[in-house]
Amino acid sequence: MGSPNITLGKIIAGLRHSAGLSQEELADRASIHRTYVSQIERGLKSPTIVMLLKLSKALETTPSKIMRQLEAESGW
């Protein structure tokens, strides 16, 4: 079982790439700083529920879909 922060970061990065967004574009859509997006994607930061809501909306998905993917990929 790997680190959930690293797995979540990879999921967010993958969704961002699939949406054709840069980190800066995702940050703008989520009203957060680009550096924070980078830290999440590298597994250095663990987003709060509010942040997960902002990111999922900016990525045009739902928090539950992100969490299901996290559960599937991390074994939680």
Side-chain angles (χ1 to χ4, degrees):
M1 193 175 324
S3 165
N5 284 349
I6 291 174
T7 304
L8 179 61
K10 289 179 182 178
I11 292 167
I12 297 296
L15 291 169
R16 178 177 61 77
H17 286 291
S18 293
L21 299 172
S22 67
Q23 287 182 342
E24 187 168 352
E25 290 168 326
L26 175 57
D28 286 344
R29 286 185 180 196
S31 299
I32 60 176
H33 198 279
R34 186 206 55 81
T35 303
Y36 192 61
V37 171
S38 173
Q39 291 171 332
I40 291 171
E41 289 187 358
R42 290 182 289 142
L44 300 177
K45 295 285 184 178
S46 180
T48 64
I49 295 298
V50 171
M51 191 58 57
L52 186 59
L53 291 167
K54 288 182 175 187
L55 288 168
S56 63
K57 185 174 182 177
L59 291 165
E60 297 180 357
T61 189
T62 63
S64 60
K65 286 182 182 178
I66 293 172
M67 293 308 296
R68 278 194 298 274
Q69 191 173 348
L70 177 63
E71 288 172 357
E73 292 184 22
S74 68
W76 284 87

